[in-house]
Amino acid sequence: AERTTLSSAVGEWAKIWPLHTLIRAMGAFFVRRHSGNALYRRVLERYIHMATREGVCQAVFLEGGLSRDGGLQKPKLGLIDYMLRQFDLTADRDIVFIPVGINYDRTLEDRSLIRALDPTSEKRSWWFVFRTTAGFIWRSLLLMVLSRWRRYVYACVNFGDPLSIKAYCRDRNLNFSMLERPERFQEVQKLSQELMQGIASVVPILPVSLVSTVFLEDMVTEMDILEIEARSNRLIKKLKDKGAPILESSRSTKAHAIADAVDIMLLRRMISRNGDRFKVMPEEKTLLAYYANAIGHWR
């Protein structure tokens, strides 16, 4: 992290002041994802090929954008193809892909992403965005003054086994640079699917995803914290038996994490409270599913 420059492609949505300055300072370059300009595509291809050949460490978002439903998406092939279509097995340095799985207990734009799935929803105005953002900042500051502000529980990253392209090509007697476009894209798709499997196998299991899954499995029953913990522990055991990456911790630490997840979900009105028992808010089923889908490939 301290010795390597990380480069990544970012959509034009980020070209707003002052966000674009921060993102560019972090090593990103902006991409017109839906551009049909042949010259632009050619220049972009050459840029990525040269950066790859010179050994620039690149973050490639295989899904091509943010997940709208919380689950893993199908891979996009463009950037991987740019890296490999002129790759020389004998002269070029090796390309090594490292699968990275990321999960969050709170995604700030979750409701906006879910809303984008509804084609009938009206586009939010700039005034609504400004008012909502200002309200969020004001409430957070007020909670800090009252000593009631709390962190958003966990964000976690996990790394999979590296995949060497030279070894991959040798094992399959494959040379991307010698293939015509249709055959090359088929092979790029196979590679991308293998990388997505590597990513899926290291997506961390986090408390909000666990508790959301527990509530979705039984949306009718009101549960106290002990029942939620018991059901979460049974789910953890089931996921662990399947090889899911779960942080090993003591029973007290695990219980504390589950209780924190319940508190956050209660604060966000994903669930309701009746005395010492909790139940799903029916209108927030989609939001619960968003977080449960992050580990849905393990179920």
Side-chain angles (χ1 to χ4, degrees):
E2 296 177 352
R3 299 179 183 178
T4 305
T5 300
L6 188 66
S7 177
S8 62
V10 178
E12 287 191 302
W13 61 267
K15 292 185 71 174
I16 56 174
W17 185 90
L19 187 61
H20 72 286
T21 304
L22 174 63
I23 289 178
R24 187 177 285 115
M26 295 169 63
F29 57 94
F30 298 101
V31 173
R32 303 173 195 164
R33 297 190 185 278
H34 303 293
S35 173
N37 187 301
L39 177 60
Y40 172 78
R41 290 288 178 180
R42 192 67 175 172
V43 171
L44 178 63
E45 173 195 340
R46 186 62 179 160
Y47 175 84
I48 292 174
H49 171 70
M50 291 177 66
T52 305
R53 189 178 60 189
E54 294 302 318
V56 176
C57 186
Q58 299 182 65
V60 179
F61 299 91
L62 266 179
E63 297 164 283
L66 297 173
S67 173
R68 298 298 195 265
D69 62 5
L72 291 170
Q73 310 298 302
K74 292 181 180 179
K76 299 293 180 63
L77 310 181
L79 291 184
I80 301 296
D81 181 58
Y82 288 166
M83 290 179 175
L84 298 177
R85 67 171 59 177
Q86 298 182 44
F87 178 67
D88 190 329
L89 279 169
T90 57
D92 289 343
R93 71 175 77 201
D94 197 5
I95 300 174
V96 179
F97 290 103
I98 302 176
V100 180
I102 305 175
N103 198 5
Y104 303 91
D105 270 339
R106 169 78 189 271
T107 305
L108 291 179
E109 67 272 38
D110 49 16
R111 284 188 166 89
S112 297
L113 294 171
I114 293 170
R115 183 180 173 81
L117 292 173
D118 183 5
T120 63
S121 61
E122 296 181 4
K123 186 177 180 180
R124 301 293 198 187
S125 65
W126 280 105
W127 167 243
F128 177 87
V129 174
F130 173 78
R131 186 182 63 198
T132 303
T133 304
F136 172 79
I137 295 172
W138 169 251
R139 285 193 300 273
S140 297
L141 290 173
L142 185 61
L143 289 173
M144 290 176 69
V145 170
L146 298 176
S147 299
R148 291 172 56 193
W149 185 85
R150 59 181 302 155
R151 296 180 184 274
Y152 297 134
V153 199
Y154 295 100
C156 189
V157 60
N158 200 16
F159 300 91
D161 295 329
L163 187 152
S164 161
I165 285 299
K166 286 194 173 182
Y168 181 90
C169 290
R170 282 197 302 268
D171 292 343
R172 292 160 178 78
N173 193 25
L174 181 66
N175 189 338
F176 286 97
S177 64
M178 301 297 290
L179 298 176
E180 295 296 327
R181 190 177 189 277
E183 293 80 10
R184 189 181 69 248
F185 260 83
Q186 289 180 3
E187 294 299 333
V188 170
Q189 185 171 32
K190 292 178 184 178
L191 170 63
S192 298
Q193 289 171 343
E194 184 166 336
L195 290 173
M196 285 301 300
Q197 290 174 2
I199 293 169
S201 68
V202 295
V203 172
I205 309 297
L206 293 187
V208 169
S209 292
L210 275 172
V211 177
S212 294
T213 303
V214 166
F215 275 109
L216 285 174
E217 289 176 348
D218 188 351
M219 295 185 60
V220 178
T221 306
E222 291 187 345
M223 296 177 282
D224 62 18
I225 193 66
L226 293 178
E227 177 65 18
I228 296 170
E229 181 186 344
R231 294 192 184 199
S232 296
N233 286 331
R234 287 197 293 270
L235 180 57
I236 287 172
K237 184 180 184 306
K238 187 187 300 183
L239 294 172
K240 190 180 292 186
D241 291 342
K242 293 182 178 180
I246 299 174
L247 181 66
E248 296 292 339
S249 57
S250 65
R251 184 185 180 282
S252 60
T253 303
K254 197 180 299 180
H256 182 72
I258 292 171
D260 275 349
V262 171
D263 286 344
I264 286 293
M265 294 168 70
L266 186 64
L267 183 66
R268 302 198 61 207
R269 299 183 179 88
M270 297 165 68
I271 58 177
S272 60
R273 182 173 190 166
N274 182 17
D276 61 349
R277 306 184 75 82
F278 303 89
K279 185 180 178 181
V280 174
M281 297 283 282
E283 61 271 22
E284 295 295 351
K285 179 181 177 181
T286 307
L287 186 58
L288 285 163
Y290 173 88
Y291 287 98
N293 286 344
I295 60 173
H297 56 281
W298 286 109
R299 302 199 302 274

